[in-house]
Amino acid sequence: MGMSPVIKYTLARVGLFAAVFAALFPIDLDIFIKLAIALIASAGFSFILLRGLRDQVANQMAASAERRQAEKDRLRAALAGDDEPKRED
């Protein structure tokens, strides 16, 4: 099984931030200004460059939400007595 899309996306975002910050490092600016520029620029780059990973994360989250809702519905039905308990022989 591969790495989770959430982890891939997070690592890609951190990598973009680090790359932009490294590119700004030789420029003579205050460190906080460099960090702010790197944060804003990496957000913009990630919006464009990481669309595929972002879609994978959204799909994974939607599937998880559907599974949780189905489990909640199943448990509610069981608690309401609508579901016959399974017999184990």
Side-chain angles (χ1 to χ4, degrees), residues 5 13 15 20 40 45 51 57 64-65 67 72 79 86 88:
R13 287 289 306 258
V20 173
I40 293 167
F45 288 142
R51 178 178 293 155
V57 169
S64 293
R67 282 192 305 274
K72 278 184 188 178
L79 288 172
K86 293 182 180 178
E88 294 182 10

Side-chain angles (χ1 to χ4, degrees), residues 1 6 9 11 15 20 24 34 47 51-52 55 58 60 68 72-73 76-78 80 84-86 89:
M1 191 166 167
V6 174
Y9 181 73
L11 291 174
V20 173
L24 292 172
K34 288 179 191 178
F47 184 74
R51 178 178 293 155
D55 290 344
Q60 182 187 32
R68 281 192 305 273
K72 278 184 188 178
D73 293 343
R76 283 190 181 123
E84 292 288 327
K86 293 182 180 178
D89 295 328

Side-chain angles (χ1 to χ4, degrees), residues 17-85:
F17 174 79
V20 173
F21 183 73
L24 292 172
F25 200 73
I27 299 173
D28 188 28
L29 287 173
D30 184 66
I31 188 77
F32 294 110
I33 293 174
K34 288 179 191 178
L35 288 171
I37 292 170
L39 184 66
I40 293 167
S42 66
F45 288 142
S46 72
F47 184 74
I48 297 164
L49 299 174
L50 302 180
R51 178 178 293 155
L53 284 174
R54 196 169 47 252
D55 290 344
Q56 288 177 13
V57 169
N59 291 337
Q60 182 187 32
M61 292 175 76
S64 293
E66 285 178 22
R67 282 192 305 274
R68 281 192 305 273
Q69 188 61 48
E71 183 62 17
K72 278 184 188 178
D73 293 343
R74 187 192 66 77
L75 288 172
R76 283 190 181 123
L79 288 172
D82 296 341
D83 197 11
E84 292 288 327

